[in-house]
Amino acid sequence: MKRSALKPFTLFSKLALWALILLISLPILSLGFSWHRIDSGLWQHLSDNLLLELLGNTFQLLLGVAIGTGVLGISLAWLVTRCEFPGRRWFEWLLFLPFAVPAYVLAFVFLGVFDYAGPVQSFFRDTLNMQGGLDIREGVWGVAFIMSLVFYPYVYLLTRSAFLAQPPNYTEAARSLGDSPFRAFWRVSLPLARPAVIAGLSLALMEVLADFGTVAIFNYDTFTTAIYSSWVDYRSLETAAQLSTLLLIIAATLIALEHYQRGKRAFHSGLPRQQTRYRLQGVKAIATWGYLSGVLLLAFGLPLIQLSLWAYQSFSGWDPRLSEWIGNSLILAVFSALLTVLIALILNAVIHNHPLSRLQTFGIRFTTLGYALPGSVLAVGVMLFLFEVDGLLDGGLWFSSGLFALVIAYMVRFMAVAFGPVESSFKTIKPSISEAARNLGASPLELFKRIYWPLLTPGLLTALFLVTLDILKELPATYLLRPFGWDTLAVRTFELSTEGLYEAAALPALVLMGIGLAGLVIIEVLRARAEKRRPISH
């Protein structure tokens, strides 16, 4: 858009913009101010007994999940985009289903099924007389395996799009020079898709850093569990904030590496293209079908079946508390999502319609960094920020003791999720259309109602559903910030599973998965409708 066509800021607009930016940014910035007071005794205990272990555990988990999600995401994406076999089109979309399964749900399902006292190992001992056993809680591999099954769709989604966008003549040229399909993949397709792979891995590893439920269920100590312990067990919010800054450094390092790699080797390939696929037959087709089915069975089928069995076995009538948990979850998720999308809409409207200084642009972009931060880190930052706000008033707990803290944490955490789809929708609006409407005397309200709203609706609805689903599954921030007695589906599922009450946890977990599935279907319908709309070019 030409700068001359942009409307200048009024003083009120500037103040309102900075108020929104500060509201979202200060909880993040407040972590840095926590170092003014250090609990030397607690830090001595941490450094002597836990800090090196926490670092080692966290990096081992990151490495394990990076390998697992990389292998799964890349291989699955290549098979559904470069090969032809029975059921390929179905698998292409079914492989997104693990998005609907929270990691902590899959964790307690695996424990219930594969732990020493579970049905699988009991069958081997009692029926096949195989003694010994396997402790899936021991070491990092069990946690890494479960997280890889849940988070591989991040790599799969982006890598699949990258493979589809690659010109087919690249691999055809490699094949004509005598390369096998695998060699063409290794030498041509994978290097071209590397930026997408790294971006997907970065998202998956951010989720690993943010995870609290899975590592807690497996008793695997990481920085996230240490943050919770410092806050809840040792009653030291400052130490929790200081640990959070260390975790923030790890997250920032991942972001920097991702940007460095993406900038170092960027490939531009455009829109999806018709691909030449290798037809798999016989043993290869059966092996491929078995591999994809196995991943789906472990990541989605197993939790769905086992949770249904547990729910059926334990069901003795509708529990009114379940209605309360569903209501609490939906109230929090929908209200917070609406507020988050509204702010994302305002910020994007400012970008689209007003000239911005570099500082203002940086401030708006800074508000989207919360998604890179674990929920536990944001919970600590929000509490520090709101304690200061309460202190500036009369010292009461006006803001830090209710749902307000949770809503702020959700806004900060998921602003990027809302910002992206809304920003993409704004980019489809041709500047000349709004200029023509203004020249014809349309008021700002008429301009928004007749032009912006119809074109922005798909992006707004997509953002709304994405944020709602993320909030419903969010555990660390909800668990740490919720008011006493305000339980949600995620919180109760986690609490019941950590107590070993898998049957009782099954029904709320199933409801969570059901809502997630419904959300995925709605998002896919919206995406399909948006693709049918002819984009308006600049």
Side-chain angles (χ1 to χ4, degrees):
M1 184 182 292
K2 296 179 180 179
R3 184 165 291 275
S4 59
L6 297 175
K7 297 174 64 178
F9 265 125
T10 64
L11 178 61
F12 176 78
S13 299
K14 288 182 180 179
L15 293 176
L17 173 63
W18 280 111
L20 288 177
I21 292 173
L22 290 175
L23 176 66
I24 300 171
S25 303
L26 282 176
I28 302 174
L29 297 174
S30 63
L31 293 171
F33 296 105
S34 64
W35 289 93
H36 74 281
R37 189 172 67 179
I38 298 176
D39 187 337
S40 57
L42 182 53
W43 266 105
Q44 186 67 41
H45 167 72
L46 290 172
S47 60
D48 290 344
N49 302 289
L50 292 174
L51 201 55
L52 288 178
E53 180 186 354
L54 294 176
L55 279 171
N57 286 352
T58 301
F59 281 111
Q60 285 182 53
L61 186 58
L62 288 172
L63 178 61
V65 176
I67 294 172
T69 55
V71 170
L72 286 173
I74 294 170
S75 62
L76 295 173
W78 186 77
L79 287 171
V80 299
T81 58
R82 289 290 191 267
C83 301
E84 190 63 58
F85 53 90
R88 182 193 63 81
R89 290 188 177 182
W90 281 100
F91 278 116
E92 190 170 5
W93 298 111
L94 288 174
L95 288 169
F96 288 111
L97 290 180
F99 264 133
V101 184
Y104 50 87
V105 170
L106 189 62
F108 83 77
V109 168
F110 262 69
L111 281 182
V113 174
F114 295 107
D115 207 7
Y116 184 81
V120 173
Q121 294 202 48
S122 296
F123 172 79
F124 282 112
R125 287 194 307 272
D126 301 339
T127 306
L128 303 180
N129 199 28
M130 295 177 63
Q131 300 305 314
L134 178 66
D135 185 4
I136 65 172
R137 299 174 190 256
E138 185 177 352
V140 68
W141 72 268
V143 187
F145 180 71
I146 286 171
M147 288 188 175
S148 297
L149 287 175
V150 174
F151 299 142
Y152 84 79
Y154 288 106
V155 181
Y156 169 75
L157 172 65
L158 296 178
T159 307
R160 170 184 165 274
S161 298
F163 284 158
L164 287 174
Q166 290 175 7
N169 56 300
Y170 289 0
T171 52
E172 289 170 4
R175 294 281 286 145
S176 67
L177 293 174
D179 283 352
S180 65
F182 177 78
R183 187 170 174 81
F185 155 76
W186 188 258
R187 295 181 59 190
V188 179
S189 299
L190 185 58
L192 288 172
R194 195 175 80 172
V197 172
I198 292 173
L201 285 174
S202 298
L203 289 173
L205 296 183
M206 292 298 174
E207 292 290 350
V208 173
L209 290 176
D211 183 86
F212 170 71
T214 310
V215 293
I217 289 172
F218 270 74
N219 295 320
Y220 186 82
D221 291 329
T222 62
F223 264 101
T224 307
T225 55
I227 291 169
Y228 173 80
S229 180
S230 298
W231 185 351
V232 176
D233 297 334
Y234 294 103
R235 304 293 180 183
S236 177
L237 186 60
E238 289 79 12
T239 304
Q242 290 151 14
L243 284 171
S244 297
T245 59
L246 298 180
L247 192 57
L248 184 58
I249 291 172
I250 299 175
T253 303
L254 287 175
I255 296 173
L257 287 173
E258 189 269 331
H259 279 283
Y260 171 75
Q261 289 292 332
R262 187 172 57 183
K264 187 177 180 181
R265 183 178 291 190
F267 300 98
H268 306 281
S269 48
L271 297 173
R273 305 170 185 228
Q274 186 66 37
Q275 300 293 330
T276 302
R277 295 187 173 89
Y278 312 119
R279 182 167 296 279
L280 302 180
Q281 296 177 338
V283 175
K284 291 182 178 180
I286 294 173
T288 299
W289 202 91
Y291 172 53
L292 271 62
S293 299
V295 172
L296 267 178
L297 177 64
L298 289 174
F300 184 79
L302 176 64
L304 180 63
I305 295 170
Q306 186 60 58
L307 289 173
S308 300
L309 287 174
W310 280 336
Y312 175 76
Q313 292 168 358
S314 63
F315 188 76
S316 58
W318 185 260
D319 188 346
R321 294 177 301 172
L322 184 60
S323 300
E324 179 185 347
W325 302 336
I326 295 173
N328 290 346
S329 301
L330 291 176
I331 289 171
L332 266 177
V334 174
F335 177 77
S336 302
L338 285 170
L339 195 57
T340 305
V341 172
L342 176 61
I343 294 177
L345 174 63
I346 293 172
L347 294 177
N348 274 288
V350 168
I351 294 174
H352 191 76
N353 291 292
H354 296 283
L356 298 176
S357 66
R358 289 185 177 181
L359 182 60
Q360 289 167 335
T361 302
F362 173 79
I364 290 176
R365 293 298 173 184
F366 188 82
T367 63
T368 64
L369 293 181
Y371 193 63
L373 306 180
S376 54
V377 172
L378 283 178
V380 174
V382 166
M383 289 306 293
L384 286 174
F385 168 58
L386 294 181
F387 278 151
E388 292 297 326
V389 173
D390 285 339
L392 293 175
L393 300 175
D394 60 359
L397 301 178
W398 292 98
F399 294 105
S400 57
S401 62
L403 294 177
F404 184 78
L406 255 182
V407 174
I408 294 295
Y410 291 150
M411 284 171 49
V412 178
R413 175 90 165 90
F414 300 115
M415 180 56 64
V417 179
F419 197 91
V422 178
E423 182 182 34
S424 298
S425 295
F426 266 105
K427 287 181 177 179
T428 66
I429 301 175
K430 193 174 182 179
S432 58
I433 295 179
S434 55
E435 291 174 23
R438 290 193 189 100
N439 292 335
L440 292 173
S443 66
L445 181 60
E446 290 175 326
L447 184 65
F448 178 79
K449 182 179 178 181
R450 296 186 178 184
I451 295 178
Y452 281 88
W453 180 252
L455 296 173
L456 293 176
T457 299
L460 290 172
L461 290 176
T462 300
L464 181 64
F465 281 109
L466 283 173
V467 176
T468 301
L469 292 179
D470 277 336
I471 292 174
L472 283 170
K473 294 190 296 181
E474 170 65 27
L475 179 62
T478 310
Y479 193 67
L480 290 169
L481 293 176
R482 78 194 194 283
F484 180 77
W486 186 279
D487 289 330
T488 65
L489 288 169
V491 169
R492 288 307 296 159
T493 299
F494 170 71
E495 289 182 338
L496 291 169
S497 62
T498 53
E499 295 170 6
L501 303 175
Y502 300 145
E503 293 85 358
L507 193 53
L510 271 178
V511 175
L512 261 182
M513 285 183 60
I515 296 174
L517 275 176
L520 285 176
V521 172
I522 292 171
I523 291 169
E524 175 57 25
V525 170
L526 292 173
R527 185 202 62 80
R529 288 184 178 179
E531 282 189 353
K532 291 180 180 179
R533 291 172 175 263
R534 185 177 180 179
I536 302 173
S537 60
H538 289 274

